[in-house]
Amino acid sequence: QIQLVESGGGLVQAGVSLRLSCAASGRLFSTYSLGWFRQAPGKEREFVAAISWSVGSSTLYADSVKGRFTISRDNAKKTVYLQMNSLKSEDTAVYYCAADHYTGRPRPYSSTYDYWGQGTQVTVST
């Protein structure tokens, strides 16, 4: 098993940028994919972005964040990032990182992810 810890959330003004980090510990296989999900009050958890951890990995984004958010990784630090630009009020949510043992392309389904972080709050004011 592995542990995931998110950081970088906060209160920001609409239109600015924020960078979230998720540090992994334990035996994280290089074939695991890492994903970001978010959950707003009264809403179901939704997929944001995912990336394969190994070299030659691919990425996947939700339509709502394409062109604004970028997921990246640092294998040496066992850390995955979510760069969020042009933030909107609808981006307000608790953001979670998660790990998927699947060795194929990244998947957008929360039920397929095996490990989850505790979440970090992102609030975008207008």
Side-chain angles (χ1 to χ4, degrees), residues 4 11 17 52 71 83 91 99 107-109 118:
L4 303 171
L11 173 63
S17 299
S52 298
I71 188 170
Q83 178 66 44
D91 296 317
R107 299 186 291 186
Y109 313 110
Q118 83 291 339

Side-chain angles (χ1 to χ4, degrees), residues 51-62:
I51 185 171
S52 298
W53 194 258
S54 60
V55 295
S57 63
S58 60
T59 57
L60 184 67
Y61 295 93

Side-chain angles (χ1 to χ4, degrees), residues 64-109:
S64 60
V65 304
K66 286 181 179 177
R68 298 190 299 121
F69 290 10
T70 302
I71 188 170
S72 61
R73 69 191 182 193
D74 186 328
N75 289 333
K77 296 181 178 180
K78 295 184 178 180
T79 301
V80 61
Y81 305 96
L82 184 67
Q83 178 66 44
M84 304 184 293
N85 298 329
S86 301
L87 282 165
K88 307 173 181 179
S89 60
E90 51 261 46
D91 296 317
T92 296
V94 176
Y95 283 71
Y96 300 89
C97 66
D100 183 357
H101 75 279
Y102 184 63
T103 59
R105 298 177 65 84
R107 299 186 291 186
Y109 313 110

